[in-house]
């Protein structure tokens, strides 16, 4: 009973955070709502006794991907007003896609549920979901795992390349100019008479 109450509380927070991701006009607020959605999703994973997935969700997505996302959002200087000008024009299409996805999820949950047993067998004491996940990930799905790593690497390089573009009024180092500097150009030797301290 307590687990059901915890589930409904965090599921409600997750739904509210997901609505905030698409509802906020400020991209930083939307990203923070996404962080909240990831954390509450991690709690739901822990409730399902998938502790490894919950910890990875917090460490990888909240700790790394969201920091990178916030970095890109703040460095790109996105004009959000201009991006939202065509929002109402594409709203019906977005609503249609959302209803289609919700229908697909409902189909999977309610019609495919008939083939599942009423009560899932409890894992034994020596069972480790980390070990089971690793055994599947590095045997059956090793190529998909490596492909996902390459795609993430390309995304990180692209994000850095987008932030390195030329913009006026930004002070940047010129390494070649610094290395080619001569002491004669920067230091002026002055001959002064010694002063009497008294």
């Amino acid at each position: 009973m307590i687990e059901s109450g915890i589930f409904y509380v965090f599921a409600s927070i997750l739904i509210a955070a997901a609505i905030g991701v698409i509802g906020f006009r400020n991209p930083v607020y939307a990203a923070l709502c996404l962080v909240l959605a990831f954390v509450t999703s991690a709690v739901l994973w822990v409730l399902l006794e998938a502790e490894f997935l919950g910890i990875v969700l917090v460490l990888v997505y909240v700790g790394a991907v969201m920091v990178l996302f916030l970095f890109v959002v703040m460095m790109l200087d996105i004009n959000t007003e201009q991006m939202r000008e065509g929002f109402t024009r594409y709203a019906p299409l977005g609503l249609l896609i959302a209803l289609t996805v919700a229908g697909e999820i409902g189909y999977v949950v309610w019609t495919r549920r008939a083939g599942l047993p009423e009560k899932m067998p409890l894992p034994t004491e020596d069972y480790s979901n980390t070990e089971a996940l690793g055994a599947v990930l590095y045997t059956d799905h090793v190529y998909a795992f490596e492909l996902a790593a390459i795609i993430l690497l390309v995304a990180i390089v692209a994000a850095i390349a987008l932030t390195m573009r030329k913009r006026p009024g930004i002070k940047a180092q010129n390494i070649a100019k610094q290395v080619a500097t001569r002491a004669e150009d920067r230091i002026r030797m002055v001959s002064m008479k010694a002063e009497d301290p008294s």
Side-chain angles (χ1 to χ4, degrees):
M1 187 68 177
I2 296 175
E3 289 184 0
S4 299
I6 294 173
F7 170 79
Y8 284 117
V9 167
F10 281 97
S12 304
I13 295 172
L14 176 60
I15 292 171
I19 292 172
V21 170
I22 61 173
F24 275 116
R25 291 179 177 266
N26 191 330
V28 177
Y29 291 163
L32 291 176
C33 283
L34 191 56
V35 169
L36 180 61
F38 284 147
V39 171
T40 50
S41 298
V43 173
L44 296 181
W45 278 117
V46 172
L47 284 176
L48 291 172
E49 297 183 2
E51 296 87 5
F52 178 75
L53 292 177
I55 295 299
V56 166
L57 189 64
V58 172
L59 291 180
V60 174
Y61 283 94
V62 177
V65 175
M66 287 308 303
V67 171
L68 179 66
F69 182 72
L70 283 173
F71 174 75
V72 171
V73 165
M74 291 179 180
M75 292 294 289
L76 283 182
D77 259 351
I78 300 173
N79 188 358
T80 55
E81 296 299 327
Q82 185 178 0
M83 287 179 62
R84 291 180 179 272
E85 285 178 358
F87 176 75
T88 53
R89 183 174 51 180
Y90 297 111
L93 178 62
L95 185 62
L96 177 65
I97 293 173
L99 290 175
T100 303
V101 171
E104 291 174 352
I105 292 173
Y107 172 76
V108 170
V109 169
W110 297 110
T111 60
R112 298 288 181 179
R113 181 185 233 175
L116 295 174
E118 286 295 324
K119 192 164 186 177
M120 299 297 287
L122 293 173
T124 58
E125 290 184 2
D126 59 344
Y127 174 78
S128 171
N129 61 2
T130 307
E131 182 182 354
L133 184 64
V136 174
L137 194 61
Y138 292 108
T139 53
D140 298 338
H141 305 288
V142 65
Y143 294 120
F145 182 72
E146 294 296 329
L147 182 63
I150 292 171
I151 291 173
L152 281 174
L153 177 64
V154 170
I156 291 171
V157 172
I160 294 172
L162 285 173
T163 60
M164 297 294 289
R165 66 172 191 251
K166 299 279 184 183
R167 287 188 286 181
I170 293 178
K171 294 182 180 179
Q173 285 183 311
N174 189 341
I175 305 299
K177 191 174 180 181
Q178 289 176 342
V179 172
T181 302
R182 297 181 307 162
E184 296 83 13
D185 298 335
R186 297 208 169 185
I187 300 174
R188 187 176 54 149
M189 302 298 292
V190 178
S191 179
M192 297 178 64
K193 294 181 180 179
E195 298 182 359
D196 187 4
S198 61

